[in-house]
Amino acid sequence: MLTLTSASSALTLFPECKTQRRRFSISAAADDKFPSFLPKQMEEIKDPFARKLATRIERLPVNVSFSEKSIMSSCVKPLIQSNQNPVVLLHSFDSSCLEWRYTFPLLEEAGLETWAIDILGWGFSNLERIKSCDVASKREHFYQLWKSYIKRPMTLVGPSLGAAVAVDFAVNHPEAVSILKSFPLRLYTTFLAFKGLSFDTGLDWVSIGKLHCLYPWWEDATVSFMISGGYNVSRQIDQVMQKTLIIWGEDDQIISNKLAVRLHCELPNSNIRQIPDCGHLPHVEKPDSAARLILEFMQNHSCQKKAQLAPTEEVVY
């Protein structure tokens, strides 16, 4: 996962250079009011965190060059509005903003202005009239959403494929990104990605992960992306000049730890942290640890730079 954030926001959030951790509770009831555009199968989801976050999903109109009409684009907007640079959360391949159901409330409880964005082609946006979901289209759509609604440099966080989205976006639109963080058959991959997951929980997580696949345009959007060749950011890595934190699950069964070490060596200004007893997606499996590392990274940077403006930073999970 790649996260970009600004030094100025960190200074305000952590004026005494101490990580602020708060307890939070969450509850969800059978009568949760979900947006009408979500698939009706959302009612069958048991996970209270997913149900709670789903009630906050909304669609915003985004104008792009490859569509005559605005794309009604799904996201979760922040409850906290501030003058500091926001945290913007991307998701992994063929997923949605619900992937952040555990870590999102932790970041908000820490006082961060937090967005969760659905990447074009996945999630819960209305793609009925969209013909192209290749890399260039995804980049333009995200940029126009940022330009229309976020409007200032952001801390960009992307897990797995979301890290590639973040690298590509940061290189092409450096003015929009201040710090970067990265978290590097659906039922089978779910159990590969998460260590020690019970079968019942795994089934519910699969149901959450495939909700967006129920839209009629999902197959065409995914095929369009795959045919385009997908993301290949290997030649862009050495162009990322921001300070970078690489966060990796020690028990990742999908991507080898050797690649984490290689990424650490190739990123010009990076540190690496591993989360023990954790699989491929730390922000889902170990949200407390992931949130703590994000907050400490911002805290340490603010302590070092104080009131000075710092270069863009990158955190990779």
Side-chain angles (χ1 to χ4, degrees):
M1 179 183 308
L2 299 178
T3 302
L4 301 175
T5 191
S6 72
S8 57
S9 62
L11 285 169
T12 301
L13 284 171
F14 307 104
E16 298 179 0
C17 297
K18 295 180 180 179
T19 303
Q20 299 179 4
R21 302 297 305 280
R22 305 178 186 176
R23 296 180 180 179
F24 74 99
S25 61
I26 192 167
S27 61
D31 60 350
D32 283 326
K33 302 299 182 182
F34 301 119
S36 60
F37 57 79
L38 290 184
K40 61 181 180 180
Q41 288 84 351
M42 185 67 225
E43 299 286 352
E44 303 171 7
I45 298 300
K46 300 176 183 178
D47 189 319
F49 289 83
R51 295 178 65 90
K52 191 69 173 179
L53 193 60
T55 64
R56 293 179 54 186
I57 298 176
E58 56 185 287
R59 283 174 170 174
L60 304 176
V62 175
N63 296 318
V64 293
S65 64
F66 53 88
S67 175
E68 295 181 358
K69 295 185 177 181
S70 299
I71 299 175
M72 297 306 296
S73 306
S74 51
C75 66
V76 178
K77 293 171 61 178
L79 291 177
I80 301 170
Q81 302 290 334
S82 74
N83 294 325
Q84 310 305 323
N85 293 346
V87 175
V88 177
L89 309 174
L90 304 176
H91 56 74
S92 57
F93 175 77
D94 197 12
S95 186
S96 75
C97 57
L98 290 179
E99 189 176 297
W100 288 98
R101 57 194 178 273
Y102 302 132
T103 304
F104 191 100
L106 287 170
L107 296 175
E108 281 200 329
E109 285 292 323
L112 300 179
E113 180 178 341
T114 308
W115 293 70
I117 303 295
D118 279 337
I119 299 169
L120 183 72
W122 302 307
F124 305 106
S125 300
N126 187 340
L127 305 180
E128 189 173 5
R129 301 178 183 276
I130 303 303
K131 296 182 179 180
S132 176
C133 285
D134 58 11
V135 170
S137 299
K138 293 179 188 295
R139 183 193 309 129
E140 180 185 345
H141 172 262
F142 185 25
Y143 175 75
Q144 293 300 332
L145 188 150
W146 171 81
K147 184 178 179 181
S148 298
Y149 299 101
I150 301 173
K151 300 180 180 179
R152 57 196 195 278
M154 57 188 168
T155 296
L156 188 57
V157 183
S160 195
L161 179 127
V165 177
V167 167
D168 175 80
F169 190 82
V171 170
N172 285 278
H173 298 289
E175 75 281 5
V177 180
S178 58
I179 296 180
L180 183 61
K181 303 184 181 186
S182 167
F183 290 100
L185 343 186
R186 195 174 293 267
L187 179 60
Y188 176 65
T189 56
T190 296
F191 283 99
L192 271 182
F194 305 107
K195 184 178 180 181
L197 192 64
S198 71
F199 186 74
D200 288 343
T201 299
L203 286 178
D204 196 46
W205 285 13
V206 167
S207 297
I208 296 169
K210 70 177 184 180
L211 277 171
H212 66 286
C213 303
L214 301 173
Y215 288 126
W217 51 75
W218 168 79
E219 183 174 353
D220 288 342
T222 301
V223 169
S224 172
F225 171 71
M226 299 299 288
I227 291 177
S228 74
Y231 284 92
N232 184 358
V233 298
S234 59
R235 295 182 179 179
Q236 295 177 307
I237 289 176
D238 61 1
Q239 300 177 42
V240 178
M241 295 295 104
Q242 298 90 342
K243 185 177 180 181
T244 304
L245 172 63
I246 304 171
I247 302 176
W248 214 271
E250 283 188 354
D251 298 313
D252 191 334
Q253 299 298 306
I254 295 180
I255 299 179
S256 168
N257 286 357
K258 293 180 180 179
L259 292 179
V261 175
R262 177 180 173 183
L263 180 62
H264 174 46
C265 294
E266 293 182 357
L267 277 168
N269 189 17
S270 66
N271 295 314
I272 187 169
R273 296 286 298 276
Q274 288 191 319
I275 298 179
D277 197 33
C278 181
H280 184 58
L281 297 176
H283 61 299
V284 179
E285 189 174 350
K286 299 286 186 179
D288 188 74
S289 297
R292 176 177 54 81
L293 288 173
I294 291 173
L295 294 171
E296 287 181 352
F297 181 65
M298 297 170 65
Q299 169 200 4
N300 291 338
H301 178 71
S302 68
C303 291
Q304 294 170 2
K305 297 298 182 181
K306 303 240 183 206
Q308 298 178 359
L309 293 177
T312 304
E313 301 185 10
E314 172 184 356
V315 178
V316 177
Y317 286 91

